[in-house]
Amino acid sequence: GNGGNGGAASAGGAERVDLMDCFDLFTEKEQLGENDLWYCSKCKGHVAAYKKFDLWTAPDLLILHLKRFEYIPGQYFMHRQKIESLVDFPIEELDLRHMVKSGQARAGHVRPDVEPLYELFGVSEHMGGLGGGHYTAVVKNVQSGGWFACDDTRVTPVSRDAGVTPNAYVLFYQRKGAAAKWAGIIPPPPGKAASPAAKR
């Protein structure tokens, strides 16, 4: 995959963030603020409790939605703006073995022969701002292994890392060695029409 440079500036000047840093922040322990106090039935009062997310299982198809829009409180109203940071994400191998807890805590809950290792097969992109924009995609051909940029009716061959830009919005990953290969869809032989989705 691509090397990570969490927090560094990219060639275009935008902040560069590593995808694994995003996972680390998502699972970081966080104390609730004064506006989010939690009622403790034991203390009989509202307290600034802690919350924490953990990943217990990993699906065969992993879809990651990057936060590209944020709301900043102003004096009279909320300001909205787009986050232009470049999220550096792996293409060949996204390794979530250290993130998924169930394999350690509940042996057998996740198939032991299929580890949470993923390869990228698609990127949905958003260009523009909050008032309007344009969606494109960079996808992998499951038969040839080639990558293509899709922009309305135009489809052009591109390099495999063409989707790693500040426009990346939604990432699509397939678990390596998963039983539901490509969501149960069997690619047709070259030169033949696509067949219906097959059941597992």
Side-chain angles (χ1 to χ4, degrees), residues 12-114:
E15 181 187 7
R16 189 184 189 102
V17 181
D18 189 89
L19 181 63
M20 294 314 300
D21 291 337
C22 298
F23 274 103
D24 290 337
L25 286 172
F26 180 74
T27 57
E28 193 175 63
K29 188 177 180 180
E30 176 186 358
Q31 187 172 20
L32 300 177
E34 292 183 1
N35 296 326
D36 298 305
L37 296 180
W38 178 75
Y39 181 76
C40 175
S41 58
K42 187 176 182 179
C43 305
K44 304 299 181 185
H46 289 85
V47 296
Y50 288 89
K51 71 173 183 178
K52 188 179 186 309
F53 292 107
D54 283 311
L55 303 179
W56 286 93
T57 60
D60 285 347
L61 291 176
L62 179 66
I63 301 174
L64 301 178
H65 179 197
L66 303 179
K67 181 180 178 182
R68 283 295 181 198
F69 304 97
E70 64 180 340
Y71 294 83
I72 302 173
Q75 185 175 0
Y76 300 107
F77 54 87
M78 297 287 285
H79 297 280
R80 298 184 301 163
Q81 68 180 36
K82 185 176 179 182
I83 301 172
E84 301 283 358
S85 302
L86 170 63
V87 178
D88 192 12
F89 49 89
I91 298 170
E92 294 298 327
E93 185 168 282
L94 171 63
D95 188 348
L96 297 183
R97 285 178 293 187
H98 71 291
M99 300 293 301
V100 179
K101 304 295 184 184
S102 61
Q104 304 164 14
R106 293 181 290 172
H109 184 70
V110 177
R111 287 178 51 194
D113 59 324
V114 181

Side-chain angles (χ1 to χ4, degrees), residues 153-174:
T153 60
R154 296 185 300 275
V155 178
T156 54
V158 293
S159 63
R160 67 181 190 135
D161 60 350
V164 186
T165 72
N167 295 326
Y169 190 32
V170 183
L171 313 179
F172 298 86
Y173 282 94
Q174 162 70 34

Side-chain angles (χ1 to χ4, degrees), residues 68-69 82-84 123-138 149-152 154 162-163 165-170:
R68 283 295 181 198
F69 304 97
K82 185 176 179 182
I83 301 172
E84 301 283 358
V123 179
S124 176
E125 303 173 306
H126 178 270
M127 288 173 283
L130 295 168
H134 182 61
Y135 287 91
T136 58
V138 176
C150 304
D151 184 355
D152 292 335
R154 296 185 300 275
T165 72
N167 295 326
Y169 190 32
V170 183

Side-chain angles (χ1 to χ4, degrees), residues 5 7 21 26 59 104 110 117-118 127 136 144 147 166 171 176 183 185 192:
N5 273 324
D21 291 337
F26 180 74
Q104 304 164 14
V110 177
L117 301 173
Y118 294 86
M127 288 173 283
T136 58
S144 68
W147 286 84
L171 313 179
K176 293 184 176 182
I185 298 173
K192 291 193 176 181

